[in-house]
Amino acid sequence: MDRFLFAEAMEDPVIMQTILEIILGKDILLKYPPQAEKEKRSSPLFRFIRMDVWAMDMEDTVYDAEVQKEDTKNLPRRSRLYQSMIAPFDLFGKDLYRYTFRMRCDEDPGIALDDGAARIFLNTRGKDPLGVSEELIELLRYIEHTTEEVSSSCRSGKIRELQCRIAMIKSSEEIGVKYMQEWEEKVIEQRRAREEGVAEGRVEGAEHKLFVQIYKKLSKGCSLSATADSLEEEIPDIQDMYDFLKPRKTQTVEESWKDWLASGGRQSLASPGSRVTTP
C-alpha cells in the first residue's frame, strides 16, 4: 500500500500483468511496459490527469491501477478518470472484496452501454467471498501486508512469485536511492509548509492584537490620533481598523474580528503602504 513501492513494483511488466490477471480472472498480455505517474489529457486545452500506473494490452485495452490508503470521500467521482482502485477500506460498506461498475441506462437498467469501460474498487478488508476467487482474496491480503510470511501462506504460486520480485525491488540499491530522494523532497515540502504556516500565524496574531487594542481605545472614546499616540503607531497604519471598528461599538470584539476576517482583513502587516486608507 506504500505509494512509492506500489509504483515501482507495478512498473515491472510481470507484476502488473500478474495482478491484472488475478483481478480480472483472465489472461493478459501487455503491449507496452507499464508507466508510473503517466499524464493524460484529451486536449491541450484541458487539464491532465496523472495515473498511478498505466498499462495497455495487445487488444489496446487501457488499464490504470491506483492505490488509495485513505477514504477522501470523493473516490466515486474521481473514478470517472480511473479504472481500478485498491484500498484498505470498504468504500461501499457491503463487505465485498470487489465492486465492479459499468455504464447502464437510467430509464432501463437492462440496457448496457457496452463501451468496454469498467470501474473496479478493490477492498483489501472484504469479508464476503461471493463472486471472487480465493487467489484474489490472497492477493488483496498480500497487497496490504506485503511480507514473506503472508506470501508463504498463500496457495497461489503467482503471489509467491510476486513476493520474489518485490523482495528484489526492496533490496535494490538504485530503488533505495530513489526512495530516499523522494522522502527528502517530501520532508523539505513539509518543512516549508510548516514555516509558511508559522509565519502566517505570527502575522495574524500581531494583527489580532492590534485589532483588540484599537477596539479597547474606541470603547473608551479615544480619537484616531489619540489611539495612534497611545499605541505608538502611525495613523495610516491603524486607520483602516479604526474606521472598520467605529460603527461596530455595540459588537463584541470577537464578533468584530470575525467580520474583519470575512471582509478580507489586511493584505499584509509587513507592507503598510499597500493598505487602503480612508481620507
Side-chain angles (χ1 to χ4, degrees):
M1 298 303 296
D2 178 82
R3 185 174 293 277
F4 177 86
L5 179 59
F6 181 84
E8 290 295 333
M10 295 291 270
E11 278 196 312
D12 180 324
V14 175
I15 292 179
M16 182 66 161
Q17 188 167 296
T18 299
I19 288 179
L20 287 175
E21 287 180 342
I22 295 175
I23 291 173
L24 299 174
K26 64 178 184 180
D27 292 336
I28 302 289
L29 183 58
L30 295 182
K31 188 175 185 177
Y32 304 110
Q35 296 179 39
E37 299 291 328
K38 182 177 176 63
E39 295 180 356
K40 176 75 174 177
R41 74 174 81 200
S42 56
S43 165
L45 301 177
F46 297 159
R47 294 174 60 188
F48 65 81
I49 62 169
R50 180 177 286 111
M51 295 174 281
D52 276 12
V53 186
W54 171 95
M56 179 184 287
D57 67 15
M58 297 300 293
E59 298 177 355
D60 291 338
T61 300
V62 172
Y63 303 93
D64 173 42
E66 304 277 327
V67 64
Q68 182 72 34
K69 280 189 175 183
E70 299 178 7
D71 185 356
T72 56
K73 309 302 180 185
N74 66 345
L75 298 183
R77 287 186 176 274
R78 277 180 54 197
S79 72
R80 291 176 295 179
L81 307 175
Y82 307 124
Q83 280 79 49
S84 176
M85 193 169 292
I86 306 169
F89 53 83
D90 191 344
L91 186 59
F92 303 100
K94 298 295 183 180
D95 290 335
L96 301 180
Y97 285 97
R98 180 176 60 200
Y99 298 89
T100 305
F101 295 88
R102 292 184 172 87
M103 191 75 73
R104 292 194 174 274
C105 177
D106 283 350
E107 289 73 19
D108 186 347
I111 301 175
L113 186 59
D114 196 24
D115 60 351
R119 307 180 198 177
I120 302 173
F121 295 86
L122 296 168
N123 170 25
T124 64
R125 300 179 186 179
K127 298 177 183 177
D128 187 350
L130 184 65
V132 297
S133 66
E134 180 184 354
E135 190 172 44
L136 176 58
I137 294 173
E138 289 183 341
L139 173 65
L140 294 176
R141 186 170 70 249
Y142 174 71
I143 286 176
E144 184 172 4
H145 305 288
T146 311
T147 65
E148 177 69 34
E149 182 181 4
V150 170
S151 67
S152 62
S153 68
C154 295
R155 297 177 61 182
S156 169
K158 290 182 178 179
I159 295 176
R160 291 194 293 273
E161 174 62 22
L162 288 179
Q163 171 60 25
C164 292
R165 288 182 170 270
I166 289 177
M168 291 174 60
I169 291 172
K170 285 183 174 181
S171 63
S172 166
E173 183 176 343
E174 179 183 353
I175 298 300
V177 170
K178 286 177 63 178
Y179 181 84
M180 288 303 298
Q181 289 173 338
E182 183 170 299
W183 179 82
E184 288 172 355
E185 289 174 2
K186 287 182 178 179
V187 169
I188 292 171
E189 289 175 3
Q190 291 170 353
R191 184 184 301 130
R192 184 181 298 117
R194 284 197 300 270
E195 289 172 352
E196 290 174 354
V198 169
E200 289 174 2
R202 287 173 180 164
V203 169
E204 185 172 318
E207 184 176 357
H208 181 262
K209 180 180 178 181
L210 181 60
F211 189 89
V212 173
Q213 289 173 330
I214 295 172
Y215 176 89
K216 290 179 179 179
K217 296 299 179 182
L218 258 171
S219 300
K220 295 178 181 179
C222 293
S223 66
L224 176 60
S225 59
T227 300
D229 288 341
S230 177
L231 299 179
E232 297 183 347
E233 296 279 352
E234 297 294 330
I235 288 179
D237 294 345
I238 69 166
Q239 187 166 4
D240 49 356
M241 283 188 180
Y242 187 93
D243 292 343
F244 182 87
L245 283 166
K246 195 170 182 179
R248 291 174 169 79
K249 293 179 181 179
T250 59
Q251 286 185 329
T252 66
V253 68
E254 291 82 6
E255 292 170 338
S256 298
W257 175 248
K258 288 180 181 178
D259 290 345
W260 172 256
L261 292 178
S263 71
R266 283 172 144 176
Q267 291 182 353
S268 171
L269 284 178
S271 52
S274 67
R275 303 178 200 132
V276 177
T277 58
T278 305

